[in-house]
Amino acid sequence: GQGHGHGGRGRREAPARKKADPIEQVLRLTLEEMYYGVQKNLKLTRTVIRGGAEQRVSETLTIDVKPGWKKGTKITFPEKGDEAPGVIAADIIFVVDEKKHPQFERDGNDLITTKVVDLHEALLGTSVFITTLNGKSINVDIPEIVSPKYVKVLVGEGMPLSKSPNSKGDMKIKFDIRFPKELTGEQKAQLKSILGNAQY
Amino acid sequence: GQGHGHGGRGRREAPARKKADPIEQVLRLTLEEMYYGVQKNLKLTRTVIRGGAEQRVSETLTIDVKPGWKKGTKITFPEKGDEAPGVIAADIIFVVDEKKHPQFERDGNDLITTKVVDLHEALLGTSVFITTLNGKSINVDIPEIVSPKYVKVLVGEGMPLSKSPNSKGDMKIKFDIRFPKELTGEQKAQLKSILGNAQY
């Protein structure tokens, strides 16, 4: 027994039932689903032992995706794997993954989008149009000079925070500035006289 | 014995000497050292057992760094840890790490450097000056338009390949384009007439 140096507890008793290794599955969600939250009903067919006999049963596992959930969030359904004699059924674990979004990348609670602007728009001022994940249209005026590293931040237009879904991260707009493919000698001469005197 | 179900070999013999866990140490090298190769002599004081008595001895471990070695390269000195009764001395393993270089980042066998150019230089043509790891000065003419994603590749000016040190990777020059901080109304009007007609 305990404290007498005979080794671990229960070693001479009937062998403990061993638990099967957990089964991980990927739950791929769109950014919209993680923005609003969504209920996912997942059908599952498994073997159970009822009155000593094996049966195949269908079950539905329900996952309440909360607004703000992130890639890597794990949801565990204990012992929902196949039952077998002498074994504890495995846990089924769903791991959230993020589907690629056509417009936005997610960085924590922020959303990042990249807009292509031509060089003259970057220098002279421009505006960009964004449709947020909740369908809101935003027209963003950018009168300032847009350099390659410039990031325009729209505060509070990002993903909801899972712990306080009324608060949101930011929307960050990055710029991919298209340069002219070629310039004539005359264009170059003019640019030289303008930009050579500019304040860098 | 074997095949009689009595368990693993040697279980009833004298217990095997256990080997101590390996000791990992970081060997930090400059890019120059990895470019040329270098001999590193590392002093070590360790306990050894000679004629049953423990002694402290000093030893020098020599590492021949070969041109082209990379971060993560491991060099093992078997059983150079402290000796102790009943234990096999630990291996000492050096793991190469890279010191930050003021000019170059390494990407495999390539070297990457970033040059700051003003917008008018990016548009009108410029040249940049590079001193390679082996002290060679290169003046690189860039008559073409440099856009933010443009990369100038100097073939064969990178790191030596560890398996064939006469071959080398490339030097990649990236550009950080400085934009004017501000433009006057007149400058903007002129830019509009020039760049508005440019071919993107």
Side-chain angles (χ1 to χ4, degrees):
Chain A
Q2 211 175 355
H4 292 278
H6 290 306
R9 280 160 56 196
R11 249 200 205 164
R12 289 168 191 197
E13 297 160 23
R17 282 198 304 156
K18 213 190 143 197
K19 185 155 182 172
D21 290 335
I23 299 159
E24 282 205 356
Q25 297 206 6
V26 174
L27 177 67
R28 279 166 58 76
L29 299 170
T30 64
L31 278 183
E32 285 84 353
E33 288 171 332
M34 297 189 215
Y35 184 95
Y36 279 113
V38 67
Q39 196 179 72
K40 290 280 179 182
N41 296 305
L42 303 156
K43 275 194 186 149
L44 170 90
T45 306
R46 60 193 287 256
T47 302
V48 296
I49 299 173
R50 296 287 177 269
E54 291 193 359
Q55 285 177 20
R56 291 292 284 175
V57 295
S58 287
E59 292 185 24
T60 300
L61 304 180
T62 298
I63 299 176
D64 270 314
V65 175
K66 303 288 183 209
W69 273 18
K70 293 194 177 99
K71 191 167 64 181
T73 299
K74 289 187 177 186
I75 310 100
T76 301
F77 291 92
E79 300 176 19
K80 283 294 180 187
D82 289 331
E83 293 180 359
V87 182
I88 301 171
D91 293 347
I92 296 187
I93 301 173
F94 290 91
V95 184
V96 170
D97 196 9
E98 206 173 275
K99 285 188 191 168
K100 199 173 158 54
H101 192 276
Q103 283 175 70
F104 300 115
E105 258 183 275
R106 183 180 187 170
D107 176 22
N109 299 312
D110 296 337
L111 292 171
I112 300 168
T113 188
T114 300
K115 292 286 178 182
V116 177
V117 296
D118 286 345
L119 178 61
H120 66 275
E121 298 173 313
L123 291 171
L124 306 173
T126 187
S127 66
V128 296
F129 188 79
I130 284 168
T131 303
T132 63
L133 288 176
N134 59 1
K136 189 165 65 172
S137 294
I138 307 181
N139 200 53
V140 187
D141 253 331
I142 303 160
E144 61 271 33
I145 293 175
V146 172
S147 70
K149 285 178 187 161
Y150 184 75
V151 178
K152 181 90 179 175
V153 179
L154 307 183
V155 174
E157 299 290 350
M159 295 293 287
L161 275 56
S162 62
K163 285 178 184 169
S164 58
N166 291 326
S167 302
K168 294 196 173 63
D170 300 332
M171 172 87 74
K172 292 180 175 172
I173 308 171
K174 295 185 176 178
F175 297 90
D176 178 4
I177 305 173
R178 285 206 308 167
F179 272 45
K181 281 205 176 47
E182 49 185 25
L183 293 163
T184 64
E186 200 194 342
Q187 285 172 324
K188 283 189 185 184
Q190 290 173 309
L191 283 173
K192 191 170 183 175
S193 75
I194 304 166
L195 292 174
N197 295 322
Q199 244 215 309
Y200 283 100
Chain B
Q2 213 177 356
H4 293 277
H6 291 304
R9 280 160 56 195
R11 251 201 206 163
R12 290 173 190 193
E13 295 160 24
R17 281 200 303 156
K18 214 191 145 198
K19 185 155 182 172
D21 290 336
I23 299 160
E24 282 205 358
Q25 297 207 6
V26 174
L27 177 68
R28 279 165 59 74
L29 299 170
T30 64
L31 278 183
E32 284 84 353
E33 288 171 332
M34 299 191 211
Y35 184 96
Y36 279 113
V38 68
Q39 195 179 72
K40 290 278 178 185
N41 296 305
L42 303 156
K43 276 197 185 147
L44 170 90
T45 306
R46 59 192 288 255
T47 302
V48 296
I49 298 173
R50 296 286 178 271
E54 291 195 0
Q55 285 178 20
R56 292 290 286 173
V57 295
S58 286
E59 294 185 22
T60 299
L61 305 180
T62 298
I63 300 176
D64 270 313
V65 175
K66 302 288 184 210
W69 272 18
K70 293 196 177 95
K71 191 166 64 181
T73 298
K74 288 185 178 185
I75 312 100
T76 300
F77 291 92
E79 300 175 20
K80 282 293 181 188
D82 287 333
E83 293 180 0
V87 182
I88 301 170
D91 292 349
I92 296 187
I93 301 173
F94 290 91
V95 184
V96 171
D97 197 8
E98 206 174 276
K99 285 188 193 168
K100 200 172 157 55
H101 193 276
Q103 284 175 71
F104 299 116
E105 258 182 274
R106 182 181 188 170
D107 176 23
N109 298 313
D110 296 338
L111 292 171
I112 300 168
T113 188
T114 300
K115 291 287 179 182
V116 177
V117 295
D118 287 343
L119 178 61
H120 66 274
E121 297 173 312
L123 291 171
L124 305 173
T126 188
S127 66
V128 296
F129 188 78
I130 284 168
T131 303
T132 64
L133 289 176
N134 60 0
K136 189 166 63 173
S137 294
I138 308 181
N139 200 54
V140 187
D141 254 328
I142 303 160
E144 59 270 34
I145 292 175
V146 171
S147 70
K149 286 179 186 160
Y150 184 74
V151 177
K152 182 89 180 177
V153 179
L154 307 183
V155 174
E157 297 291 351
M159 297 291 287
L161 276 57
S162 61
K163 287 179 183 167
S164 59
N166 290 326
S167 302
K168 294 196 172 63
D170 300 333
M171 171 88 74
K172 291 179 175 173
I173 308 171
K174 295 184 176 179
F175 297 89
D176 177 4
I177 305 172
R178 285 206 306 167
F179 272 45
K181 281 205 176 48
E182 50 185 23
L183 293 164
T184 64
E186 200 194 343
Q187 285 172 324
K188 284 190 183 183
Q190 290 173 312
L191 283 172
K192 192 169 184 175
S193 77
I194 304 166
L195 292 174
N197 295 321
Q199 242 214 312
Y200 284 100

